[in-house]
């Protein structure tokens, strides 16, 4: 049998419902957080390295726009990842396994993340 | 690409690849899979050849259930009462030895299905749920309505077909899925020694050799324009047999199901009426009370279908055109409908845009089942009737299910008896083959000339340079059948229909296959199917015109009475000279006295 | 007039698949997508698709209709067409044999892998095996699966690991037997599923539930399997 | 049964369970840290290092650290087996992920107990 058969998997042509978009975003934010770990660890290391290090960590977080932006991005990723993760936990207990409730849950994750993103922005800046 | 290019157009003399089995089953529906399972379990090298993946077969559409006296609803139920109902339902041309066998072996066959995993609905005591169906009685018609149809909600066919497929997976049956059987191969003695088949996926044509060939190809409802049947129900087995010169029996007997959704043709199970639904005309009248005062909506299907057509013809039909009646279910309540008839609710919402919970379903009698078919004995061996009382066995050929005419349905099948028919006789077929082969049945191998004969039709089609459009000819055929051979028939119009069919023959022989390619060529399959449809339609027309009486599903305006003196017989259509012969009905059950013909009222 | 765009591929003629545009006169009726396909086949008889029962119970004509998997025979145009355009593509992720016909071998293999048949080590009684209506009710929403593959081919986890993740349809069937009071092979069935792929690739996105033409809920069934694994493993 | 040698726990179930348990730990830890920082807007080094001097906090932090290692490993292993089909590249990716998480864990322990 020929192995050259084409496969229809052009993702642009396949509609994805909201829960699917939330799920892939969950993964993407997970990978982003993994990459951001280096930033978090450096900052944490700095803050515990002594009074001087703590002060410079504070300065960076108060004055460096890039650092602020990264921190904000990580906070947003973290909140999304966390909310989507909580949704998973809730689903694991057998809630939200109907189409309608799953859609509502996905919307809740998005709304909660948007709210957190605004708060985090306010906090960081 | 690794594809054999244009293999369909293989030259006449070129050698075909050969595959060998001890037994092959053509058809992967209920009957075919039950036979295949029996054969595989007996250790015979068996293949099931099926033009669609097995669970796509039309058995999947059966809804209401499988009728059988398993004594669940009524602990005193008796298979003899079931037999009585079936004989009466058949309008007395069902063979009583076969009906006796089916009704008495039935419970065992049904229990086997449960053991295979079929998810039957249940009563509180844990036994299989049974519902009332049309034509069912206790005490040989004296004890009132019986409830004898074992059901898995209203998806019994689906549940049964899947259970059988699962049983075959467990048993290890070899399936040739999406292979299309083109024509039977007969040897010089006239025995059947296999089949020429196309692997649809690649287009390769292969000779599949076997000592026993089982036709389980199902019905041919697609000869009519309006039918509950799947697109695949094209009478391939009948077509193949007729081209081999084998006669067919009772082909005029076509069941019109009372409740097909008007316009769409999709089936609405008789179980709806079993659960308490009933038909109403445009005045809201429950008209079956007039036609069948006792059984009302649960009279035989032929009776109900005719009554509906009478209502419509007399101007009491519903809808703008007054061309249908209503099936009322809303009084049963949402709970009953959603638990007992969930599939019907789904179908009605999709195809009739009517929610049965609140409004009635528009229904009209729709072609549903072919009572006729290849005459066989109880073991599924195909018979060649040589006179009214004498028949010989056709070597190597078996049939079971709708393509066969054992005959347990006679002139009218009772609801729920088709599923029983296919498991009982699919099984019986397997048992008979096991017996025949162990007794050392041998037949001559096919010669090249034999194979060339089986390849002739395919070859002709593959070399067609021009000709008729397949879909146009099919539509023409279906219109003729619908118009001239419907619920009510009449001599003069049937003769006209017959003439139109004769005229159509040249077109059928001159189909143009535009697509000559190999891989998944549905155009080729549809052309081959259309030729089978024609064979079935023509046999139907000849037999219908010849049977000059009204019996069961065959209702004539010019011969309104049953004529037991001349027609308490099977009709046999002989393809060689397009002639109708007669064959005796069996009135010799083994364990009890035959039920003599009586006036059939419900 | 309805604009229809159909995925075409013929292994003997085409190097690559392409989209072909048609115009169909629907007569202003709200046809089913399958009816439209029949009209297309009258225009071009080489157009290839599977069909059988035409009432949504055989599962032959699963395809991707305007981006969403479904059965052509029970999808009315009014449910799927927007902007007057109908786009028909084969079900995703499985190899295309020709046009809208896919090779379902992998899908069937996954079905067979879960041993989709009743297993009971006790000898069968002379009648049926008794089952209470409550026990039987557990099979509702499971046994109705028609193996159309709409769900599995809508599932990204199946796309990426079709040979390892059983997929929503197979798992629904697995639970159908786990839930059957007549089946005694629970332990063996669960043992077969307890790896990081077979069940646990389900992330509950419910694409399967979204497309199931029979309204079934594989996600819920998978949840039940997970709970059974959980109580077995802890 | 699909055999996969590089999964984390002994089975799909344990991987799944580990992912959930570690998620809960990480959630609690995150909420605590965020709440602590918000509650102490004028945070000083003494306060901050004092916090991590408490044994309970060190244990909590260590739990979070180990949870992080497991959570990331299981998550990224699953991501890699979904999207990276060539075995060589997938293996390298998994190797790097494992190495990174090992390094972070050691780093974290050193930070906590090296004060």
């Amino acid at each position: 049998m020929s192995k050259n058969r084409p496969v229809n998997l052009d993702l642009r042509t396949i509609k994805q419902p909201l829960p699917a978009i939330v799920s892939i975003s969950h993964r993407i934010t997970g990978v982003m957080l993994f990459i951001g770990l280096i930033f978090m660890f450096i900052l944490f290391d700095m803050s515990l390295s002594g009074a001087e290090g703590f002060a410079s960590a504070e300065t960076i977080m108060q004055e460096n726009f890039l650092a602020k932006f990264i921190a904000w991005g990580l906070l947003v990723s973290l909140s999304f990842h966390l909310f989507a993760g909580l949704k998973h936990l809730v689903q694991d207990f057998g809630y939200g396994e109907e189409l309608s409730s799953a859609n509502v849950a996905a919307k809740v994750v998005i709304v909660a993340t948007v709210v957190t993103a605004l708060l985090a922005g306010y906090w960081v800046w | 690409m690794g594809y054999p290019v244009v293999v369909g157009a293989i030259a006449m003399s070129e050698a075909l690849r050969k595959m060998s089995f001890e037994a092959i089953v053509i058809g992967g529906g209920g009957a075919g899979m039950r036979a295949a399972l029996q054969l595989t379990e007996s250790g015979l090298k068996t293949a099931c050849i099926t033009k669609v993946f097995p669970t796509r077969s039309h058995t999947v559409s059966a809804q209401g259930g499988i009728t059988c006296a398993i004594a669940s609803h009524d602990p005193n139920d008796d298979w003899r009462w079931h037999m009585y109902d079936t004989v009466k339902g058949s309008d007395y041309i069902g063979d009583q030895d076969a009906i006796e066998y089916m009704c008495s072996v039935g419970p065992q066959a049904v229990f086997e299905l449960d053991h295979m995993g079929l998810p039957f609905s249940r009563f509180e005591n844990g036994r299989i749920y049974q519902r009332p169906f049309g034509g069912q009685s206790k005490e040989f018609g004296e004890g009132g309505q019986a409830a004898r149809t074992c059901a898995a909600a209203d998806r019994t066919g689906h549940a049964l077909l899947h259970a059988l497929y699962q049983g075959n997976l467990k048993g290890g049956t070899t399936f040739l899925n999406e292979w299309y059987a083109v024509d039977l191969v007969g040897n010089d003695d006239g025995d059947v020694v296999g089949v020429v088949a196309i692997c649809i996926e690649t287009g390769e044509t292969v000779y599949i050799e076997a000592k026993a060939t089982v036709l389980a190809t199902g019905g041919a409802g697609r000869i009519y324009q309006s039918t509950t049947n799947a697109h695949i129900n094209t009478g391939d087995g009948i077509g193949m047999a007729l081209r081999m010169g084998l006669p067919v029996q009772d082909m005029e007997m076509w069941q019109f199901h009372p409740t097909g959704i008007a316009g769409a043709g999709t089936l609405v199970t008789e179980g709806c009426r079993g659960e308490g639904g009933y038909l109403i005309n445009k005045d809201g009248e429950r008209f079956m009370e007039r036609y069948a005062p006792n059984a009302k909506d649960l009279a035989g299907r032929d009776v109900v279908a005719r009554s509906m057509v009478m209502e419509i013809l007399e101007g009491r039909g519903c809808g703008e055109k007054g061309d249908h009646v209503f099936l009322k279910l809303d009084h049963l309540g949402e709970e009953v409908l959603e638990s007992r008839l969930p599939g019907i609710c789904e179908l009605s919402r999709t195809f009739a845009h009517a929610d049965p919970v609140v409004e009635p379903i528009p229904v009209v009698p729709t072609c549903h089942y072919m009572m006729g078919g290849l005459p066989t004995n109880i073991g599924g061996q195909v018979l060649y009737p040589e006179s009214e009382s004498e028949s010989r066995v056709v070597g190597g050929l078996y049939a079971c299910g709708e393509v066969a005419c054992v005959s347990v349905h006679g002139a009218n099948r009772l609801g729920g008896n088709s599923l029983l028919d296919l498991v009982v006789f699919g099984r019986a077929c397997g048992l008979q083959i096991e017996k025949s082969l162990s007794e050392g049945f041998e037949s001559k191998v096919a010669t090249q000339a034999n194979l060339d004969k089986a390849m002739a039709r395919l070859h002709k089609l593959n070399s067609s340079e021009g000709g008729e459009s397949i879909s146009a000819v099919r539509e023409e055929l279906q219109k003729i059948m619908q118009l001239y051979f419907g619920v009510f028939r009449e001599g003069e119009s049937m003769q006209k229909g017959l003439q139109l069919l004769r005229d159509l023959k040249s077109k059928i022989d001159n189909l143009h296959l535009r697509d000559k390619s190999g891989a998944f060529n549905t155009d080729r399959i549809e052309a081959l199917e259309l030729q089978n449809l024609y064979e079935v339609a023509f046999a139907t027309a000849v037999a219908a015109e010849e049977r000059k009486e009204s019996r069961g599903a065959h209702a004539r305006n010019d011969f309104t009475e049953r004529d037991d003196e001349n027609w308490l017989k099977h009709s046999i259509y002989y393809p060689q000279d397009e002639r109708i012969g007669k064959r005796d009905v069996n009135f010799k059950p083994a364990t009890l006295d035959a039920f003599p013909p009586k006036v059939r009222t419900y | 007039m309805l604009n229809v765009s159909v995925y075409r591929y013929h292994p003997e003629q085409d190097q690559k698949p392409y989209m072909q545009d048609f115009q169909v006169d629907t007569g202003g009726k709200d046809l089913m997508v399958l009816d439209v396909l029949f009209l297309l086949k009258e225009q071009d008889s080489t157009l290839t698709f599977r069909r059988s029962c035409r009432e949504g119970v055989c599962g032959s004509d699963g395809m991707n209709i305007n981006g969403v998997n479904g059965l052509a025979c029970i999808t009315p145009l009014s449910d799927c067409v927007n902007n007057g355009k109908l786009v028909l593509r084969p079900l995703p992720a499985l190899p295309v044999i020709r046009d809208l016909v896919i090779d379902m071998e992998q899908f069937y293999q996954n079905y067979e892998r879960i041993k989709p048949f009743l297993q009971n080590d006790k000898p069968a009684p002379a009648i049926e095996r008794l089952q209470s209506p409550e026990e039987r009710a557990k099979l509702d929403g499971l046994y109705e699966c028609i193996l159309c593959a709409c769900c599995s081919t809508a599932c990204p986890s199946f796309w990426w690991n079709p040979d390892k993740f059983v997929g929503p349809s197979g798992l629904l069937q697995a639970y159908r037997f786990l839930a059957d009071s007549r089946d005694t092979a629970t332990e063996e069935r669960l043992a077969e599923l307890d790896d990081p792929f077979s069940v646990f690739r389900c992330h509950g996105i419910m694409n399967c539930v979204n497309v199931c033409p029979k309204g079934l809920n594989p996600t819920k069934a998978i949840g039940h399997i997970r709970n059974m694994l959980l109580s077995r493993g802890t | 049964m699909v055999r996969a040698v590089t999964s984390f726990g002994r089975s799909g179930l344990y991987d799944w369970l580990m992912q959930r348990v570690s998620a809960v730990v990480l959630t609690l830890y995150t909420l605590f840290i965020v709440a602590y920082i918000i509650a102490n807007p004028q945070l000083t080094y003494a306060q901050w290092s004092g916090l991590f001097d408490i044994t309970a906090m060190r244990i909590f932090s260590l739990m979070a650290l180990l949870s992080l290692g497991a959570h990331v490993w299981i998550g990224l292993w699953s991501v890699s087996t979904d999207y990276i089909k060539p075995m060589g590249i997938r293996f390298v990716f998994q190797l790097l992920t494992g190495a990174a998480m090992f390094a972070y864990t050691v780093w974290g322990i050193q930070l906590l107990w090296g004060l």
Side-chain angles (χ1 to χ4, degrees):
Chain A
M1 207 39 56
S2 170
K3 296 284 174 203
N4 296 330
R5 287 176 173 169
V7 166
N8 168 34
L9 198 55
D10 182 342
L11 296 183
R12 292 165 304 176
T13 66
I14 303 169
K15 277 194 192 135
Q16 292 294 348
L18 204 56
I21 293 165
V22 166
S23 177
I24 187 66
S25 309
H26 189 204
R27 284 199 150 178
I28 293 168
T29 51
V31 173
M32 279 162 63
L33 288 169
F34 170 68
I35 296 165
L37 275 179
I38 186 75
F39 180 78
M40 292 186 246
F41 267 81
I42 288 173
L43 203 66
F44 189 52
D45 192 336
M46 213 184 259
S47 74
L48 284 180
S49 63
E52 222 170 281
F54 184 83
S56 52
E58 240 180 346
T59 318
I60 290 175
M61 284 312 298
Q62 275 161 10
E63 286 165 16
N64 187 324
F65 178 80
L66 187 65
K68 282 188 173 192
F69 185 75
I70 292 175
W72 179 75
L74 288 176
L75 279 171
V76 174
S77 295
L78 183 65
S79 57
F80 185 89
H81 197 79
L82 201 148
F83 292 135
L86 284 176
K87 178 177 92 90
H88 259 297
L89 281 176
V90 172
Q91 252 187 344
D92 290 341
F93 283 99
Y95 303 102
E97 284 185 335
E98 300 295 339
L99 211 48
S100 50
S101 49
N103 273 313
V104 170
K107 280 178 193 154
V108 168
V109 169
I110 291 169
V111 169
T113 306
V114 170
V115 171
T116 320
L118 293 174
L119 290 175
Y122 174 75
W123 186 36
V124 171
W125 278 284
Chain B
M1 297 290 286
Y3 282 92
V5 176
V6 203
V7 269
I10 196 164
M12 282 293 263
S13 54
E14 213 170 299
L16 286 172
R17 180 159 77 92
K18 190 168 89 175
M19 292 162 81
S20 291
F21 295 93
E22 284 173 288
I24 55 174
V25 179
I26 304 172
M33 285 209 284
R34 188 61 191 84
L37 180 61
Q38 198 65 41
L39 290 163
T40 301
E41 282 179 346
S42 72
L44 291 171
K45 193 186 171 202
T46 306
C48 180
I49 303 164
T50 168
K51 66 177 174 178
V52 291
F53 183 75
T55 63
R56 325 266 183 238
S57 307
H58 187 55
T59 306
V60 84
S61 293
Q63 298 172 347
I66 174 166
T67 303
C68 189
I70 60 163
S72 162
H73 179 266
D74 172 6
N76 298 316
D77 199 12
D78 192 316
W79 66 262
R80 292 167 193 85
W81 301 347
H82 180 198
M83 177 178 170
Y84 166 83
D85 293 341
T86 304
V87 170
K88 178 183 170 187
S90 80
D91 222 347
Y92 300 95
I93 60 163
D95 287 315
Q96 299 205 10
D97 56 340
I99 298 174
E100 176 191 36
Y101 179 79
M102 176 175 83
C103 295
S104 60
V105 172
Q108 197 186 333
V110 170
F111 296 142
E112 282 168 1
L113 290 171
D114 167 76
H115 301 156
M116 240 177 264
L118 200 161
F120 283 112
S121 300
R122 301 284 165 161
F123 284 119
E124 279 305 323
N125 64 4
R127 294 212 59 196
I128 293 171
Y129 173 74
Q130 291 185 299
R131 61 163 55 112
F133 247 55
Q136 294 178 357
S137 75
K138 300 178 182 184
E139 310 275 1
F140 307 107
E142 306 296 323
Q145 177 75 40
R148 197 173 286 130
T149 301
C150 311
D154 59 356
R155 303 189 172 100
T156 317
H158 168 274
L160 182 144
L161 190 67
H162 280 250
L164 279 175
Y165 181 59
Q166 291 160 355
N168 275 285
L169 283 181
K170 192 178 183 182
T173 304
T174 302
F175 281 99
L176 297 178
N177 291 334
E178 296 186 325
W179 281 61
Y180 182 78
V182 179
D183 265 310
L184 295 169
V185 177
N187 67 10
D188 288 343
D189 294 339
D191 297 334
V192 172
V193 287
V195 71
V196 166
I198 301 173
C199 168
I200 297 176
E201 186 178 326
T202 62
E204 187 190 11
T205 308
V206 175
Y207 166 39
I208 304 174
E209 178 190 60
K211 288 178 187 162
T213 301
V214 182
L215 289 175
T217 53
R222 285 279 153 184
I223 62 169
Y224 287 93
Q225 206 171 21
S226 169
T227 174
T228 64
N229 283 199
H231 287 285
I232 56 170
N233 287 23
T234 52
D236 298 333
I238 303 279
M240 287 190 276
L242 285 172
R243 274 189 299 276
M244 250 198 109
L246 299 175
V248 286
Q249 177 170 292
D250 295 337
M251 287 303 292
E252 67 278 28
M253 298 303 179
W254 282 87
Q255 178 165 80
F256 285 77
H257 196 289
T259 53
I261 292 179
T266 33
L267 173 68
V268 174
T269 176
E270 186 168 321
C272 289
R273 283 169 284 139
E275 296 288 348
Y278 54 85
L279 297 162
I280 52 175
N281 59 22
K282 75 168 184 188
D283 306 323
E285 183 206 4
R286 185 175 180 179
F287 57 86
M288 280 313 297
E289 288 176 335
R290 268 189 279 123
Y291 296 94
N294 297 314
K296 296 173 188 154
D297 295 84
L298 289 178
R301 283 180 178 171
D302 53 335
V303 176
V304 180
R306 274 195 296 276
S307 309
M308 290 166 72
V309 174
M310 292 305 294
E311 288 298 298
I312 293 167
L313 289 177
E314 288 170 12
R316 291 188 293 277
C318 308
E320 271 175 35
K321 294 182 192 159
D323 58 357
H324 56 264
V325 299
F326 279 134
L327 173 63
K328 184 173 150 57
L329 294 171
D330 55 311
H331 58 284
L332 300 177
E334 186 165 6
E335 204 179 321
V336 170
L337 290 175
E338 290 295 348
S339 65
R340 298 281 184 224
L341 303 164
I344 292 307
C345 294
E346 221 177 278
L347 282 175
S348 175
R349 287 169 195 144
T350 307
F351 288 102
H353 305 291
D355 184 352
V357 175
V358 291
E359 57 198 319
I361 312 174
V363 291
V364 66
T366 306
C367 170
H368 183 55
Y369 189 87
M370 174 177 83
M371 267 80 71
L374 289 163
T376 71
N377 60 21
I378 288 170
Q381 293 175 298
V382 171
L383 301 175
Y384 191 110
E386 291 180 310
S387 68
E388 288 196 24
S389 55
E390 296 294 320
S391 296
R392 66 174 165 85
V393 166
V394 178
L397 187 63
Y398 299 76
C400 55
E402 193 168 341
V403 68
C405 185
V406 187
S407 139
V408 287
H409 309 307
N412 170 62
R413 175 174 72 78
L414 289 189
N417 267 357
S418 59
L419 291 186
L420 186 64
D421 170 9
L422 58 83
V423 286
V424 167
F425 291 104
R427 186 172 170 274
C429 217
L431 292 169
Q432 177 64 48
I433 292 171
E434 201 183 335
K435 183 161 168 272
S436 296
L437 295 194
S438 69
E439 286 166 1
F441 173 80
E442 288 294 336
S443 47
K444 279 185 196 158
V445 294
T447 63
Q448 188 58 47
N450 297 148
L451 286 171
D452 286 348
K453 199 175 166 211
M455 281 293 295
R457 179 169 75 113
L458 181 60
H459 187 261
K460 183 174 177 193
L461 193 65
N462 283 335
S463 50
S464 68
E465 292 291 339
E468 304 294 329
S469 144
I470 296 160
S471 58
V473 174
R474 184 173 51 216
E475 206 180 319
E476 207 176 329
L477 172 71
Q478 290 168 336
K479 273 190 183 149
I480 295 170
M481 294 308 291
Q482 192 75 26
L483 209 56
Y484 300 101
F485 301 93
V487 175
F488 284 105
R489 298 163 175 182
E490 198 266 320
E492 215 169 298
S493 82
M494 281 196 284
Q495 277 156 17
K496 189 174 170 204
L498 199 48
Q499 189 51 49
L500 289 171
L501 285 179
R502 286 187 205 281
D503 297 344
L504 197 63
K505 174 71 171 155
S506 60
K507 291 187 183 175
I508 289 287
D509 288 340
N510 188 31
L511 293 176
H512 180 211
L513 179 66
R514 281 200 201 86
D515 183 359
K516 303 279 200 304
S517 65
F520 227 102
N521 186 334
T522 51
D523 211 18
R524 177 178 290 125
I525 304 299
E526 285 186 20
L528 295 167
E529 287 175 334
L530 174 56
Q531 292 174 336
N532 290 328
L533 282 176
Y534 180 82
E535 299 282 355
V536 176
F538 191 75
T540 297
V542 174
E545 199 270 331
E546 189 69 26
R547 187 183 279 272
K548 295 191 172 53
E549 64 158 351
S550 288
R551 181 187 300 272
H554 181 64
R556 291 185 62 143
N557 293 332
D558 47 353
F559 297 92
T560 54
E561 296 301 314
R562 194 172 84 189
D563 177 4
D564 282 348
E565 202 162 312
N566 295 304
W567 281 106
L568 191 61
K569 298 275 180 190
H570 295 297
S571 74
I572 301 290
Y573 168 77
Y574 293 91
Q576 294 86 349
D577 40 11
E578 298 175 1
R579 166 181 70 89
I580 293 293
K582 291 180 185 176
R583 179 170 170 242
D584 291 342
V585 174
N586 180 293
F587 280 97
K588 292 195 182 84
T591 63
L592 69 171
D593 291 336
F595 297 106
K598 288 195 293 191
V599 177
R600 183 166 162 261
T601 53
Y602 284 100
Chain C
M1 277 292 174
L2 177 71
N3 292 310
V4 191
S5 175
V6 188
Y7 182 102
R8 301 298 307 267
Y9 172 73
H10 192 307
E12 291 157 25
Q13 289 154 18
D14 306 324
Q15 287 297 313
K16 272 197 281 189
Y18 61 95
M19 299 301 291
Q20 186 182 354
D21 291 329
F22 293 89
Q23 282 214 317
V24 190
D25 182 6
T26 59
K29 279 182 279 192
D30 186 17
L31 300 176
M32 296 293 176
V33 172
L34 183 63
D35 299 325
V36 173
L37 278 166
F38 288 137
L39 293 174
L40 293 183
K41 201 169 169 69
E42 278 177 24
Q43 288 183 29
D44 178 355
S45 65
T46 66
L47 179 66
T48 305
F49 51 92
R50 292 188 175 105
R51 84 285 179 272
S52 175
C53 76
R54 62 82 173 85
E55 57 189 28
V57 291
C58 79
S60 295
D61 59 354
M63 58 189 68
N64 190 271
I65 304 166
N66 277 1
V68 182
N69 290 354
L71 297 180
C73 59
I74 53 169
T75 306
L77 291 176
S78 58
D79 267 14
C80 60
V81 171
N82 29 33
N83 308 327
K85 180 142 189 173
L86 178 66
V87 182
L88 300 175
R89 302 171 65 94
L91 288 177
L94 291 175
V96 176
I97 296 176
R98 179 174 171 176
D99 296 346
L100 299 172
V101 174
I102 52 163
D103 177 2
M104 296 182 64
E105 193 54 37
Q106 180 71 59
F107 175 80
Y108 294 139
Q109 273 176 17
N110 290 11
Y111 174 62
E112 288 175 36
R113 213 189 99 194
I114 59 101
K115 301 211 168 64
F117 38 78
L118 197 81
Q119 291 171 281
N120 192 314
D121 46 21
K122 292 177 204 73
I127 59 165
E128 70 270 37
R129 293 184 198 275
L130 300 182
Q131 186 174 49
S132 72
E134 294 72 31
E135 288 169 332
R136 167 59 182 74
K138 289 186 180 157
L139 307 184
D140 283 333
L142 305 172
Y143 81 95
E144 300 93 326
C145 173
I146 57 175
L147 301 178
C148 64
C150 283
C151 59
S152 291
T153 59
C155 174
S157 291
F158 179 80
W159 297 347
W160 314 136
N161 286 296
D163 53 337
K164 298 192 184 77
F165 175 53
V166 175
S169 168
L171 290 170
L172 185 88
Q173 292 292 325
Y175 185 60
R176 177 247 172 278
F177 289 98
L178 285 166
D180 196 322
S181 63
R182 298 169 296 173
D183 191 279
T184 57
T186 308
E187 171 53 33
E188 293 88 326
R189 291 181 187 281
L190 289 176
E192 277 296 311
L193 293 172
D194 189 8
D195 62 74
F197 283 100
S198 302
V199 176
F200 290 96
R201 276 304 148 121
C202 170
H203 302 302
I205 66 170
M206 303 181 89
N207 277 15
C208 52
V209 186
N210 199 41
V211 298
C212 177
K214 304 310 285 180
L216 310 179
N217 190 329
T219 306
K220 206 176 244 177
I222 294 168
H224 286 302
I225 296 178
R226 217 170 38 214
N227 288 344
M228 290 178 92
L229 284 169
L230 201 57
S231 53
R232 166 181 174 269
T234 53
Chain D
M1 179 113 176
V2 178
R3 309 271 168 212
V5 282
T6 51
S7 73
F8 186 83
R10 283 179 291 145
S11 68
L13 176 69
Y14 283 95
D15 270 15
W16 176 84
L17 209 55
M18 196 79 76
Q19 191 77 327
R20 266 66 187 165
V21 171
S22 60
V24 171
V25 173
L26 287 168
T27 303
L28 295 176
Y29 193 77
T30 307
L31 290 180
F32 175 79
I33 294 290
V34 170
Y36 186 84
I37 297 177
I38 291 175
N40 298 286
Q42 304 304 320
L43 191 66
T44 64
Y45 172 68
Q47 253 181 311
W48 183 242
S49 62
L51 173 68
F52 288 95
D53 216 18
I54 307 165
T55 312
M57 188 59 199
R58 284 189 177 179
I59 293 173
F60 191 18
S61 299
L62 183 62
M63 270 172 70
L65 205 53
L66 296 178
S67 293
L68 183 72
H71 194 85
V72 171
W73 168 252
I74 296 169
L76 287 185
W77 179 78
S78 158
V79 167
S80 73
T81 48
D82 271 356
Y83 306 127
I84 309 176
K85 287 302 156 189
M87 213 186 65
I89 302 175
R90 188 169 70 225
F91 183 71
V92 169
F93 177 86
Q94 290 171 352
L95 200 74
L96 291 176
T97 312
M101 290 329 290
F102 181 74
Y104 281 130
T105 309
V106 173
W107 188 359
I109 291 173
Q110 199 194 358
L111 269 175
L112 289 172
W113 265 272
L115 282 177

